[in-house]
Amino acid sequence: MQEVDELLEQPSRRNTPESRRDKAMLELLYATGLRVTELVSLDVADIALESDPVTVRCVGKGERERVLPLHQRPVDELRQYIFHVRPRLVRNRRETALFVNRRGERLTRQGFWLILKNYAKEAKLDKAITPHTLRHTYATHMLSGGMPLRNVQDALGHASISTTQIYTHLTGDQKRREYDKAHPRAS
């Protein structure tokens, strides 16, 4: 968890339009478990800032659409980005992409990967951080926090529960606590 926090804080150490965009992207990824393709495919209209709770609508593999609620931290970052930063980056006012690059065009998967790689390096993270790392971390943290496997499956947009089960690896301590909590004869 500390590594995730350190990674998510890296954009805040700068004060540029791009770093504000990056903060919104990282917070959104970690809050939802979106795939990177889903993230860069988002349009401004996919964020329902007026709904309660605020939601993001994405279309994943197999054209499966899902609507995910957002907690306050990514909402705050998205509001800041959409209303104050994005207008400074967009050149063509008809651009629908939520996240845009320095040229004001839709950010690509490769562009995001380079951004993430740079922040991971700045955070001095030993592990290889890929765009999928935040998705994996989201799923693992949700499951270890008690979210039912089916709900995590829905949030991730997995067609099969077996795909979601790869995230159920628990540490030995977690397994022991769960065993002690669940077994009627555990002491």
Side-chain angles (χ1 to χ4, degrees):
M1 183 64 185
Q2 184 179 355
E3 290 176 332
V4 172
D5 289 340
E6 186 63 28
L7 178 67
L8 295 179
E9 285 309 309
Q10 290 307 307
S12 298
R13 297 194 171 130
R14 300 179 186 163
N15 191 19
T16 65
E18 292 82 10
S19 66
R20 297 301 309 197
R21 174 206 58 207
D22 300 346
K23 179 71 171 166
M25 287 191 303
L26 291 175
E27 289 289 350
L28 182 59
L29 269 184
Y30 181 58
T32 60
L34 290 176
R35 295 175 180 96
V36 175
T37 300
E38 295 167 345
L39 176 78
V40 298
S41 297
L42 290 174
D43 289 333
V44 174
D46 293 325
I47 306 295
L49 289 172
E50 70 287 344
S51 68
D52 186 19
V54 173
T55 60
V56 58
R57 183 189 68 80
C58 70
V59 178
K61 288 184 178 179
E63 297 300 308
R64 285 186 298 276
E65 181 180 304
R66 60 197 197 280
V67 177
L68 303 167
L70 297 176
H71 58 80
Q72 199 57 49
R73 186 172 289 173
V75 169
D76 292 343
E77 295 298 335
L78 283 166
R79 282 186 202 281
Q80 179 69 25
Y81 171 71
I82 291 169
F83 296 120
H84 302 287
V85 176
R86 186 178 176 279
R88 294 169 55 192
L89 294 173
V90 170
R91 301 236 163 75
N92 178 351
R93 297 292 170 206
R94 288 186 272 166
E95 176 60 65
T96 60
L98 176 59
F99 295 113
V100 295
N101 59 26
R102 289 182 183 183
R103 293 180 308 281
E105 300 165 350
R106 185 178 296 277
L107 188 69
T108 64
R109 292 183 56 191
Q110 295 82 359
F112 177 80
W113 195 91
L114 291 172
I115 290 165
L116 181 64
K117 186 177 173 182
N118 189 38
Y119 286 126
K121 184 178 177 182
E122 288 177 16
K124 297 176 177 57
L125 299 180
D126 296 334
K127 299 175 187 170
I129 303 295
T130 67
H132 192 75
T133 303
L134 286 175
R135 181 172 166 84
H136 180 86
T137 304
Y138 162 83
T140 302
H141 288 169
M142 296 308 283
L143 287 167
S144 65
M147 183 181 237
L149 186 61
R150 283 267 181 226
N151 294 19
V152 175
Q153 175 191 2
D154 291 342
L156 293 174
H158 288 159
S160 168
I161 194 82
S162 62
T163 306
T164 313
Q165 286 175 322
I166 64 169
Y167 299 109
T168 60
H169 65 284
L170 297 173
T171 66
D173 288 343
Q174 288 172 316
K175 286 179 186 176
R176 182 62 196 205
R177 282 193 302 274
E178 292 301 314
Y179 174 84
D180 288 345
K181 188 169 65 175
H183 197 282
R185 295 180 65 87
S187 50

